[in-house]
């Protein structure tokens, strides 16, 4: 029973993570990962700054959406 | 010596010129190991593919040959899925082996340009969903519904075969070539490969085509919301919901995308339920029953404001909502069709398949069926998505087959499901809903009489049936609700109520369907206007440099106004068209979309030729010539046909003559003003067709010239200029497809042992 529940929870988590990835919810985590890996000296953007910057750049860089 | 990839491979015995870091495990599966794995046919593998082929064959047999009184919807699912699997496993492999020739030792732009923002290596399965959400919208939900006029078989064949040989090929190639060029856009690639003339023609054509596509998508929404207080209320509420989500994400809880999407989804459902309650109150019905012209103007004003507002406030949150709905709805629709398995009574070929005067869209099966269904089979618009955004996120070169080719197969499946949903409703109802008011007369009595007079086998509807259906879905009337969206919504409600909720839930499901279609379309309208505005700004910027500054407000506003004005004019023309709007304009939508496909395929043809692959050039030439023949024939008929229902200018001449003779009504136009509108509309539509086809012929011709030049250069050994970014060694590994192969698993295990600090290129270069 408990094992079944654990499998279920893991499944739901996996689906949620996948869905979040498709929506782009993990963009900040990926930015931090890149920042760390690239060995930047300066501090990374905070979460708030990052999302602000992300949508503001889309203003001059629109992404198409299809019919 | 010209160095083509072919020659490189032959000379050194291996492909590519990239030397990868010896301290790391290999970044690609060894060519021979992969080859051996692919060529090895175990009994289990043989049984699996034989099973898929047999099931697919049986399904096609049931659909195309047996065609009993009724056909079960499950055969559509089997026929399509089995064909997709075979196309993916075999045909796309041929393309990979002989045309794209990916090299996983090369870094992708997401690796060598990595910035953590625009260029980010993305898990292949996530990127598949992301790409699919960007390409699929209302298009595949609308075209197949309209094409159902011809019966189910022509549309089914075109959607399934078309995607395997044309649509998915285009998406895959454009994505791959854009990836090799650092994620360059289709327009930039056209200029590079085809020169100034071809590039400029491609740019102008793209801009005009976007205007038409946005206008006709908007027309679909207007037709679905006209005189529908419930629809207007609930779709209207998506604007405040999106604004709230935008503020939430910016100020309250930045970055909580999943959370805000769930909140938005709950609010959206509340808006649908609330719409039903509001529409039943006298004041609600009063305020929100808007005629189509008012809604069209509302949409134009909205389109302008939405395109100049900052992205975070409206576009980004609605995009989350739309993606969320898209995936949910499609999973739900697939489940419902598999569980309910509706019986289809529509004939394989309808009475209109052999005629050119169908009421839903005019023109003969060839070429008009092939332009009516664009999205789902071959959609040029995808080339704009497949170049640009997705290539900047691809992790490994080999994954483009799964994401590009596979993503398009998925859209095709959506189109098949939309077709099934639309043909599961009564055929008489289908024609009553999809024929223009000029024919049905607009009331249930006249519509029933008119539909019964068509002499369609097995069709006999009563006015009561039409009113009852309207009442079931919570609408005032469903007569002449053209545009495809309402028909799909009725079909979906019809299937879903058997799955969940029964007749009492039909109205909810109907408005749920209208809501998501409107949501997809509004997002496409917004994003389309923005993209077009930037294209226009850049083009004007070549003459007036100030326009290139994207932050210069007057320039941005002026260009937005021009683009909105352009599609707004076409939209109003469609809404007020005495001939019906959708049936005159929808062919133009399909033609525009497929001319864009012809342009994209032309660019691919030139690139493939320049890479020195002549033997397999037919893989690109086949869809290109089909798209070119279909669209040029369709344009030719739209321009020169002497049948007024088909030819814009023939119609124009007929109405001009009637006006000159002093008639006060002619055909379906009941006043002099209406007749003048027809003259004006047909002239605009006719000239638009002329411009489109001329521009496209220029692009195709320049591509053929570039191809011929590549052939000549190859023959006399002249170096061919390659526009790819220089090859850089990759430092990562990831599997190519959805399930890793044994060899890929082995390599992944090896990579897991590599210490983390070695895995990514160390910085200092930023």
């Amino acid at each position: 029973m408990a094992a079944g529940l654990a499998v279920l929870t893991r499944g739901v988590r996996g689906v949620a993570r996948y869905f979040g990835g498709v929506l782009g919810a993990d963009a900040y985590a990926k930015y931090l990962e890149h920042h760390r890996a690239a060995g930047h000296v300066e501090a990374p953007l905070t979460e708030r700054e990052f999302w602000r910057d992300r949508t503001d750049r889309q203003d001059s860089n629109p992404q198409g959406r299809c019919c | 010596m010209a160095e083509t990839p072919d020659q490189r491979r032959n000379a050194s015995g291996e492909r590519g010129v990239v030397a990868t870091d010896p301290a790391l495990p290999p970044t690609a599966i060894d060519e021979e190991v992969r080859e051996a794995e692919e060529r090895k046919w175990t009994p289990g593998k043989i049984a699996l593919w034989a099973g898929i082929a047999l099931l697919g064959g049986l399904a096609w047999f049931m659909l195309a040959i047996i065609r009993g009184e009724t056909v079960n919807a499950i055969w559509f699912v089997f026929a399509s899925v089995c064909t997709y699997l075979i196309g993916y496993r075999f045909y796309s492999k041929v393309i990979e082996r002989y045309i794209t020739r990916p090299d996983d030792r090369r870094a992708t732009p997401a690796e060598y340009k990595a910035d953590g923002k625009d260029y980010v290596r993305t898990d292949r399965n996530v990127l598949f969903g992301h790409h699919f959400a960007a390409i699929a919208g209302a298009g595949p939900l609308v075209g197949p519904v309209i094409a159902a006029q011809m019966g189910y078989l022509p549309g089914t064949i075109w959607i399934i075969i078309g995607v395997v040989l044309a649509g998915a090929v285009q998406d895959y190639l454009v994505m791959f070539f854009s990836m090799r060029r650092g994620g360059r856009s289709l327009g930039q690639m056209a200029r590079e490969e085809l020169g100034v003339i071809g590039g400029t023609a491609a740019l102008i054509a793209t801009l005009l085509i976007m205007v038409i596509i946005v206008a006709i998508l908007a027309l679909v929404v207007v037709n679905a919301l006209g005189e529908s207080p419930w629809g207007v209320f609930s779709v209207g509420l998506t604007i405040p919901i999106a604004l709230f989500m935008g503020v939430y994400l910016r100020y309250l809880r930045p970055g909580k995308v999943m959370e805000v999407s769930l909140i938005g989804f709950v609010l959206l459902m509340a808006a649908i339920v609330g719409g039903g309650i509001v529409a039943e109150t006298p004041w609600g019905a009063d305020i929100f029953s808007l005629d189509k012209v008012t809604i069209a103007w509302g949409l134009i004003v909205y389109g302008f404001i939405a395109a100049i507002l900052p992205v975070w406030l409206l576009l980004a949150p609605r995009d989350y909502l739309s993606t969320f709905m898209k995936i949910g709805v499609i999973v739900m629709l697939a489940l419902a069709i598999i569980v309910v398995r509706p019986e289809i009574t529509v004939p394989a070929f309808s009475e209109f398949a052999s005629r050119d005067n169908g009421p839903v869209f005019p023109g003969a099966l060839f070429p008009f069926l092939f332009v009516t269904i664009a999205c789902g089979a071959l959609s040029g618009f995808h080339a704009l998505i497949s170049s640009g955004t997705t290539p900047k996120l691809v992790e490994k070169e080999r994954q483009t087959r799964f994401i590009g080719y596979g993503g398009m197969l998925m859209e095709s499946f959506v189109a098949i499901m939309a077709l099934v949903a639309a043909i599961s409703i009564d055929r008489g109802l289908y024609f009553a809903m999809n024929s223009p008011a000029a024919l049905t007369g607009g009331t249930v009595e006249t519509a029933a009489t008119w539909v019964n007079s068509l002499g369609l086998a097995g069709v006999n509807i009563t006015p009561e049936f039409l009113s009852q259906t309207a009442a079931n879905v919570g609408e005032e009337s469903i007569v002449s609700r053209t545009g495809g969206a309402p028909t799909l919504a009725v079909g979906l409600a019809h299937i879903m109520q058997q799955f969940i909720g029964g007749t009492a839930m039909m109205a909810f499901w109907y408005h749920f369907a209208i809501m998501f279609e409107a949501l997809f379309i509004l997002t496409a309208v917004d994003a389309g206007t923005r993209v077009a505005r930037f294209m226009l700004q850049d083009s004007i910027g070549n003459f007036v440099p100030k326009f290139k500054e994207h932050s210069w407000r007057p320039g941005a506003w002026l260009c937005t106004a021009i683009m909105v004005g352009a599609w707004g004019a076409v939209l109003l023309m469609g809404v007020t068209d005495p001939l019906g709007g959708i049936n005159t304009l929808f062919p133009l939508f399909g033609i525009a979309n497929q001319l864009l496909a012809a342009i994209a395929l032309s660019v691919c043809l030139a690139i493939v030729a320049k890479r020195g692959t002549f033997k397999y050039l037919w893989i690109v030439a086949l869809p290109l010539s089909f798209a070119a023949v279909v669209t040029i024939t369709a344009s030719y008929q739209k321009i020169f046909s002497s049948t007024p229902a088909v030819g814009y200018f023939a119609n124009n001449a007929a109405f001009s003559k009637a006006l000159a003779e002093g008639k006060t009504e002619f055909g379906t136009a009941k006043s002099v003003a209406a007749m003048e509108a027809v003259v004006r509309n047909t002239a605009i539509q006719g000239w638009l067709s002329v411009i489109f086809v001329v521009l496209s012929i220029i692009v195709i011709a320049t591509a053929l010239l570039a191809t011929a030049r590549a052939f000549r250069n190859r023959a006399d050994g002249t170096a061919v200029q390659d526009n790819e970014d220089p090859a850089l060694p990759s430092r990562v590994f990831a599997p190519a497809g959805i399930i890793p192969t044994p060899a890929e698993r082995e390599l992944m295990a090896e990579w897991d042992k590599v210490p983390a600090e070695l895995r990514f290129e160390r910085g200092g270069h930023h």
Side-chain angles (χ1 to χ4, degrees), chain B residues 207-296:
Chain B
L207 205 56
L208 279 175
I209 287 167
M210 286 187 77
V211 168
I212 287 294
I213 290 178
V214 168
I216 291 163
L217 286 174
L219 181 59
V220 170
V221 172
V222 171
N223 278 1
L225 297 185
E227 309 297 345
S228 165
W230 186 337
V232 169
F233 178 82
S234 47
V235 172
L237 266 188
T238 61
I239 300 171
I241 291 175
L243 294 175
F244 165 74
M245 289 168 66
V247 172
Y248 188 95
L249 270 180
R250 182 117 173 153
Y251 298 107
L252 301 179
R253 287 171 65 79
K256 300 287 178 280
V257 171
M258 257 317 237
E259 179 183 304
V260 83
S261 302
L262 280 170
I263 297 175
F265 177 74
V266 171
L267 290 174
L268 216 56
M269 294 302 110
I272 298 174
V273 175
I277 299 166
V278 169
E280 287 203 349
T281 62
W283 58 269
D286 219 39
I287 298 174
F288 296 108
S289 293
L290 304 175
D291 66 283
K292 290 182 188 172
V293 178
T294 315
I295 297 176

Side-chain angles (χ1 to χ4, degrees), chain A residues 16 18-25 27 30-31 33-34 36-40 45 47-48 50-67, chain B residues 114-118 121-122 125-126 129-130 134-135 137-140 250-251 254-255 257-258 310-312 319-320 323-324 327 375 381-382 385 527 534 761 763 766:
Chain A
Y18 178 78
F19 225 63
V22 171
L23 283 173
K30 297 184 96 168
Y31 161 76
E33 189 187 321
H34 166 81
R36 228 179 2 253
H40 290 291
L45 299 177
E47 189 165 18
R48 188 173 288 257
F50 172 81
W51 286 100
R52 231 164 235 253
D53 171 68
R54 185 177 161 89
T55 42
D56 290 352
R57 274 180 310 115
Q58 279 173 17
D59 271 328
S60 52
N61 228 329
Q63 295 173 9
R65 273 286 177 267
C66 208
C67 28
Chain B
D115 62 359
K117 294 170 179 172
D118 294 322
R121 286 186 294 116
T122 307
N125 295 321
V126 169
H130 190 82
I135 59 172
R250 182 117 173 153
Y251 298 107
V257 171
M258 257 317 237
V311 165
W312 65 266
D319 202 28
Y320 290 134
T323 306
F324 201 86
I327 295 175
C375 308
F381 217 81
H382 290 189
I385 316 284
F534 279 99
E761 207 173 350
H766 281 278

Side-chain angles (χ1 to χ4, degrees), chain B residues 308-341:
Chain B
I308 56 171
L309 279 182
V311 165
W312 65 266
L313 187 55
L314 186 58
L315 184 67
R318 230 222 343 252
D319 202 28
Y320 290 134
L321 212 49
S322 157
T323 306
F324 201 86
M325 287 285 275
K326 202 170 283 181
I327 295 175
V329 160
I330 285 160
V331 171
M332 187 187 82
L333 187 58
L335 269 181
I337 286 179
I338 292 167
V339 173
V340 176
R341 296 186 301 277

Side-chain angles (χ1 to χ4, degrees), chain B residues 436-458:
Chain B
L439 294 174
T440 61
T443 67
V444 285
E445 289 81 16
T446 50
T449 316
W450 178 78
V451 168
N452 292 339
S453 77
L454 288 172
L456 305 173

